[in-house]
Amino acid sequence: MATFFGEVVVAPSRAGVDDDEEAREETPEDREIRRELEKKREIEILWTLKSGASTESSADEPFACSQFIVAIGRNAAAFLSSFILDSVCWEVVGVVKLWNEWCRTSSTTNVLPTDSFCLFYRLISDPTVLLCQCSCYVAEDQQFQWLEKVFGCMQKEGLQVTVLSTCPVADYKTQESTLTLPSPFLKALKTKEFKEQVCCPLLEQPNIVRDLPAA
């Protein structure tokens, strides 16, 4: 049960779990399988910010970033492609490699658009402006790892983060009929640190944001 509006909660479930299975001790083989799965589900982030070669996400020093725009989901990623990235003003500087039930990115170490569904772009005229197109599925157990590794590479001071995501109109909760709503339409959520004017109306309760955008 949520204690305040905006809290992320996960409902417990005992579906498919009986008492005998729950009480069964983990065998060495089970532990080995679990360790292999956890290792396989680790997220890797490769950057080419300094030189032409790819480097792991554990950079020595965080790089400067003033604006970070993240498009999560196929529709949001397509919006960036059509209206922002359709020019020579951007260069690919990073890629996320991950593996889960719904996503299989390439094992190559090259940063190429064909190698991943999660790419980072840098504005050539202002290297402190970064974009991220994340059209792949990031599982619940990978979301914190994704955030930790991505934002662990950036300087936090003066950083403004904008997240773009979409959801079906049928999921929008309102007293009006959804048939009369313009589609698509834009709503916003913001933190108390954001002091600028919001470009669209705020999202009303009890609507919520889920998954990676919520994280």
Side-chain angles (χ1 to χ4, degrees):
M1 179 178 178
T3 57
F4 62 91
F5 179 68
E7 181 181 6
V8 179
V9 294
V10 178
S13 173
R14 292 179 56 84
V17 178
D18 54 33
D19 294 336
D20 293 337
E21 185 177 345
E22 191 175 23
R24 183 170 62 88
E25 293 185 1
E26 189 178 42
T27 65
E29 291 79 8
D30 292 336
R31 286 193 292 271
E32 181 65 24
I33 293 173
R34 179 170 53 82
R35 282 194 295 266
E36 288 297 322
L37 281 175
E38 289 175 353
K39 184 177 180 181
K40 195 170 185 178
R41 294 176 75 89
E42 288 183 1
I43 292 176
E44 290 184 73
I45 301 179
L46 304 173
W47 297 100
T48 59
L49 290 168
K50 297 179 181 179
S51 61
S54 299
T55 57
E56 293 290 341
S57 60
S58 55
D60 296 334
E61 295 182 3
F63 54 81
C65 184
S66 60
Q67 295 276 344
F68 183 43
I69 302 174
V70 189
I72 301 174
R74 296 185 181 276
N75 291 334
F79 174 82
L80 281 190
S81 295
S82 300
F83 296 98
I84 299 179
L85 292 172
D86 189 21
S87 68
V88 294
C89 301
W90 302 87
E91 59 179 347
V92 178
V93 294
V95 62
V96 174
K97 292 161 51 181
L98 57 85
W99 181 95
N100 57 45
E101 298 82 358
W102 300 101
C103 182
R104 306 286 193 275
T105 59
S106 172
S107 60
T108 181
T109 57
N110 296 324
V111 180
L112 296 173
T114 56
D115 293 335
S116 176
F117 297 103
C118 190
L119 291 166
F120 298 91
Y121 296 83
R122 178 172 59 183
L123 185 62
I124 296 176
S125 60
D126 184 356
T128 66
V129 178
L130 291 181
L131 297 180
C132 175
Q133 277 185 308
C134 184
S135 58
C136 59
Y137 172 73
V138 182
E140 285 188 5
D141 62 310
Q142 295 176 315
Q143 291 170 10
F144 176 76
Q145 186 184 164
W146 193 97
L147 295 167
E148 188 178 44
K149 292 193 174 184
V150 170
F151 288 99
C153 301
M154 304 177 186
Q155 293 179 359
K156 307 299 189 300
E157 186 176 356
L159 173 62
Q160 179 176 306
V161 180
T162 303
V163 180
L164 305 175
S165 66
T166 60
C167 68
V169 175
D171 292 344
Y172 180 63
K173 297 175 178 61
T174 177
Q175 294 181 350
E176 304 177 38
S177 171
T178 55
L179 297 176
T180 61
L181 293 173
S183 181
F185 60 90
L186 190 64
K187 298 285 183 175
L189 287 173
K190 69 180 185 70
T191 63
K192 61 182 179 181
E193 286 79 13
F194 186 81
K195 304 301 182 183
E196 300 179 20
Q197 185 177 358
V198 182
C199 64
C200 61
L202 295 178
L203 185 66
E204 309 91 344
Q205 298 188 32
N207 292 285
I208 59 174
V209 177
R210 298 180 175 88
D211 301 322
L212 188 58

